[in-house]
Amino acid sequence: FSDQKQMRWQHMDVQRTFPKRTSFSHKGSHGKGAVVGGQLSMPGSVALTARAALRSGAGLLTVATVKDNIPVVANQCVEAMYHVWRDDQGILIDDSVSSLNHYDAIAIGMGMGRADESQKLTLRIVNEINRPVIVDADGLYHIKSDLEVVRARLAPLVITPHLGEMAMLTETTIAEIKQAPFSITKQFAQKYQVYVVLKGKFTIITTPRGEQVVTDTGNPGLAKGGSGDVLSGVILAFMMQHNERLPAIANACYLHGLTADMSITSGRHTETDLLASDVIDELSVAFRTIV
Ligand code: APR
Ligand code: MG
């Protein structure tokens, strides 16, 4: 991307925009977040997102998932609160959506599965919840079924597709996106008025107005199931603590990748053994470079 240098989101940009915690802050100052996802066969996804959000400074965090997953998730995430979401044989169904208006930001879709009932739930959240929402993983598949709901929505929506998910959303191929990642994401972001985080070796963040920045931290140690769930948690927490949305998202992508890089340069991990949960535990190493 030699012609895109001016858009590279750098360490000094993170330092300039990262919010400070004031000495009088209380948990309410740092936001109340919710993570909605995790069907019965995928309890780990929401645990990763929730734990990453807590490690990224979220004041209060609630996990809304199916009843039978709660003991598993709570075991990984003792600081979180839990909302027993109604389910049908381990699949999240459309229910009590309005309760989500009590949160400052919501992440949805991780480990959710692709059932019709979960699709209805996802679309209702996008349609009815007047708070910043982050849609990832299976949630991206669900919103594809009705992008007009996305377009009509007024509150901020952040989508976090990898190349395959971006190809699905734009009805094109991975090869075509690789040819023109900036213009394809910009077109989509402007058409549907969303923030797009196109993930990969380079991550391109695009605003609904078409502004774009790139983060180039991260390494193939992140190319494992769960890395995306962790990133969504960091974005969720930063959306609640930054005043501006582009720096919140860009800082999350930058620091998620930097954590993975520093886990390796420190000698504590290799690209082979690094796990998504290790990235959560190592976030402090990257955070310490900016405070
Ligand atoms: N270099 C730098 N960063 C990388 C690299 C790399 N080589 N590989 C992956 N990453 C980063 C990406 O930028 C992103 O932040 O790791 C994260 C991977 O996110 P996802 O692709 O969403 O991966 P994952 O969490 O494993 O999700 C895979 O989610 O979307 C569903 O169907 C998908 O089930 C699959 C699951
Ligand atoms: Mg993913």
Side-chain angles (χ1 to χ4, degrees), residues 162 165 199-201 203 218-220 222-228 231 256:
H162 54 56
E165 289 160 338
K199 300 181 294 194
K201 174 164 167 47
T203 292
N219 60 70
L222 287 172
K224 297 191 184 98
S227 300
L231 176 66
H256 175 255

Side-chain angles (χ1 to χ4, degrees), residues 42 114 136-138 140 160-163 165 198-203 217-231 256-257:
M42 285 191 255
R114 297 190 170 187
D136 187 27
D138 292 321
L140 298 168
T160 56
H162 54 56
L163 282 169
E165 289 160 338
L198 178 61
K199 300 181 294 194
K201 174 164 167 47
F202 300 98
T203 292
T217 52
N219 60 70
L222 287 172
K224 297 191 184 98
S227 300
D229 301 330
V230 173
L231 176 66
H256 175 255

Side-chain angles (χ1 to χ4, degrees), residues 119-226:
Q119 185 156 95
K120 254 169 66 187
L121 168 62
T122 305
L123 290 170
R124 272 195 66 194
I125 291 174
V126 170
N127 192 26
E128 295 170 32
I129 302 302
N130 191 22
R131 303 283 177 181
V133 170
I134 299 143
V135 179
D136 187 27
D138 292 321
L140 298 168
Y141 167 86
H142 294 318
I143 62 166
K144 173 67 174 75
S145 71
D146 195 350
L147 285 171
E148 285 314 311
V149 168
V150 172
R151 202 210 290 260
R153 179 183 157 82
L154 297 176
L157 189 76
V158 181
I159 61 169
T160 56
H162 54 56
L163 282 169
E165 289 160 338
M166 194 65 195
M168 179 270 299
L169 285 167
T170 54
E171 295 180 355
T172 158
T173 60
I174 291 176
E176 279 175 282
I177 293 172
K178 279 184 170 168
Q179 290 282 315
F182 287 93
S183 58
I184 291 173
T185 43
K186 188 170 175 169
Q187 211 180 2
F188 190 91
Q190 290 184 315
K191 180 169 179 190
Y192 294 104
Q193 290 297 295
V194 290
Y195 291 84
V196 181
V197 179
L198 178 61
K199 300 181 294 194
K201 174 164 167 47
F202 300 98
T203 292
I204 303 171
I205 299 120
T206 308
T207 70
R209 290 167 53 189
E211 301 144 289
Q212 296 186 301
V213 301
V214 185
T215 59
D216 62 359
T217 52
N219 60 70
L222 287 172
K224 297 191 184 98

